[in-house]
Amino acid sequence: MSSPATLSFFFTLFSFFFHISSSLDTTNINNKHTTVNSLNIPSPNAAAEIELINPKLPPRSLSLTSSKKFEGSSDLIHLRYHMGPVLSSSPINIYVIWYGRWTRPYKSLIRDFLNSISDAKAPSPSVAQWWRTASLYTDQTGANVSRSVLIAGEYSDSKYSHGNHLTRLTIQDVIASAARSASFPVDHKNGMYLVLTSHDVTMQDFCRAVCGFHYFTFPSMVGYTMPYAWVGQSGKQCPEVCAYPFALPGYMGHGGPGELRPPNGETGVDGMVSVIGHELAEVVSNPLINAWYAGEDPTAPTEIGDLCEGLYGSGGGGGYIGQVMRDREGKTYNMNGKGGRKFLVQWIWNPNLKACSGPNSVD
């Protein structure tokens, strides 16, 4: 579940080692020049228009283990399977609930991201390649998370039927109302709800402890059990928290990289896309909070997105996003999507590598 504080322990640990390394080698830390490495660029013409950047790349000596290849790798992390289901039936049907006032361009941007998950035609590194990591997770029968994701239905609640302040409990009312109004099917086997709230809707703990979360519906409120995720648009509430690195907290104003330009020119919604990716990866691998997570407390699980929060490329960790790409307009991204779209999406935990990984890795 996406939370600004979820990985405070891990980032603190990263930062501890970073500060030790910086005392030994401050030259690399203070070098603000762009670091350029090799990556599989689709074509020579595209290569001329793409620059690989890693703002203030930390020294390669920074590592929690003897391995320097995989960002986030650590013997301290024990991600375990707790015998519950994953979303393995194909396709995974997403029922999108637009709560509040949403403009057509914002909806289009988010739809394009969701449709990119199954788009094998997008050039590398792609959103579809990123999703392959999520598809590595299996249930007790050996069935993998499906690689096919479909927007199976949509409903717009532009009248704020449950007010402009929601809680973790009233979000179930929003789902129940939308499911009835839109006549969504009871899709237990391969369905999930995705509730997206507009910039003027507040949510319990939003901006303070969460940017998004997922859980499952209660039969007493919705009529049945089905997984769902909620993500809020932070553009006017807390972009420095939930749309980082497109906006920066005040305490980072004079250190680290500057704000990065969002790939689609929308700080709040571009930032929201990464949180959506985070939550989707966790829903499919832990839909009923009894499948894949680290820790012993299912009420506060550390999941495959949490373990890699803030990591977008090679060299990331300790508050550094890692190496990403920048186009000739200065927009920053790390994945290609459907119809020429570009996105900046955080990495997720790879159960085979036991580390964070993404399609734009240069390791």
Side-chain angles (χ1 to χ4, degrees):
M1 300 183 186
S2 180
S3 163
T6 298
L7 289 187
S8 60
F9 167 76
F10 295 105
F11 282 163
T12 300
L13 197 57
F14 271 121
S15 299
F16 172 74
F17 282 98
F18 173 73
H19 287 304
I20 291 176
S21 299
S22 66
S23 66
L24 298 176
D25 185 1
T26 58
T27 301
N28 289 336
I29 297 296
N30 293 323
N31 185 355
K32 296 186 179 180
H33 294 293
T34 298
T35 299
V36 179
N37 289 325
S38 61
L39 187 65
N40 183 22
I41 302 299
S43 69
N45 290 336
E49 299 176 356
I50 296 173
E51 180 182 21
L52 304 185
I53 65 167
N54 189 343
K56 297 193 74 174
L57 180 70
R60 295 303 297 173
S61 59
L62 173 61
S63 177
L64 292 181
T65 67
S66 58
S67 170
K68 296 183 178 62
K69 187 173 183 181
F70 304 117
E71 286 63 33
S73 59
S74 174
D75 295 332
L76 301 174
I77 296 171
H78 301 287
L79 185 75
R80 295 194 301 116
Y81 176 56
H82 297 79
M83 305 305 291
V86 300
L87 295 188
S88 58
S89 296
S90 186
I92 297 171
N93 290 324
I94 298 179
Y95 299 92
V96 183
I97 300 170
W98 305 96
Y99 191 85
R101 293 191 178 94
W102 284 91
T103 64
R104 187 173 298 176
Y106 285 2
K107 284 185 174 181
S108 177
L109 172 53
I110 292 173
R111 287 193 195 105
D112 286 347
F113 171 69
L114 296 175
N115 288 326
S116 294
I117 293 174
S118 301
D119 183 19
K121 297 180 181 179
S124 179
S126 69
V127 175
Q129 291 171 334
W130 167 81
W131 189 254
R132 290 177 190 172
T133 299
S135 72
L136 295 174
Y137 290 87
T138 63
D139 62 17
Q140 55 187 309
T141 71
N144 291 78
V145 166
S146 174
R147 288 191 180 184
S148 178
V149 175
L150 175 71
I151 299 176
E154 298 184 46
Y155 177 73
S156 293
D157 188 342
S158 59
K159 295 184 178 180
Y160 306 82
S161 63
H162 295 276
N164 62 0
H165 176 70
L166 302 176
T167 68
R168 289 176 181 265
L169 195 58
T170 59
I171 199 75
Q172 304 244 355
D173 292 326
V174 170
I175 293 171
S177 297
R180 287 192 299 267
S181 299
S183 299
F184 288 150
V186 180
D187 197 353
H188 293 295
K189 191 173 181 181
N190 54 344
M192 64 162 288
Y193 297 116
L194 177 60
V195 184
L196 305 174
T197 51
S198 57
H199 67 86
D200 54 347
V201 177
T202 58
M203 166 64 77
Q204 175 187 0
D205 294 329
F206 185 35
C207 298
R208 185 187 65 83
V210 297
C211 298
F213 59 77
H214 73 94
Y215 207 62
F216 50 84
T217 60
F218 301 149
S220 61
M221 299 189 73
V222 180
Y224 46 85
T225 297
M226 212 164 108
Y228 74 87
W230 162 82
V231 180
Q233 213 275 54
S234 67
K236 293 188 178 180
Q237 294 186 52
C238 58
E240 72 285 356
V241 175
C242 295
Y244 176 85
F246 304 132
L248 298 181
Y251 65 81
M252 292 185 66
H254 301 289
E259 293 178 356
L260 301 182
R261 288 191 63 191
N264 300 286
E266 301 293 344
T267 295
V269 183
D270 272 308
M272 196 178 185
V273 162
S274 187
V275 182
I276 291 172
H278 174 126
E279 297 302 334
L280 290 183
E282 293 182 344
V283 169
V284 300
S285 60
N286 194 27
L288 301 181
I289 322 300
N290 60 359
W292 289 94
Y293 64 87
E296 300 302 322
D297 184 1
T299 65
T302 300
E303 301 171 281
I304 68 171
D306 300 326
L307 291 168
C308 304
E309 193 165 329
L311 292 176
Y312 297 83
S314 298
Y320 291 88
I321 68 169
Q323 182 164 274
V324 294
M325 294 175 283
R326 184 167 59 198
D327 65 18
R328 60 183 178 180
E329 296 179 352
K331 297 178 179 179
T332 309
Y333 67 104
N334 65 348
M335 299 177 199
N336 295 293
K338 189 178 182 68
R341 286 279 198 186
K342 296 177 175 63
F343 304 100
L344 186 70
V345 183
Q346 72 150 88
W347 285 7
I348 54 179
W349 188 260
N350 187 311
N352 295 340
L353 300 177
K354 292 181 171 53
C356 302
S357 68
N360 58 312
S361 171
V362 297
D363 290 317

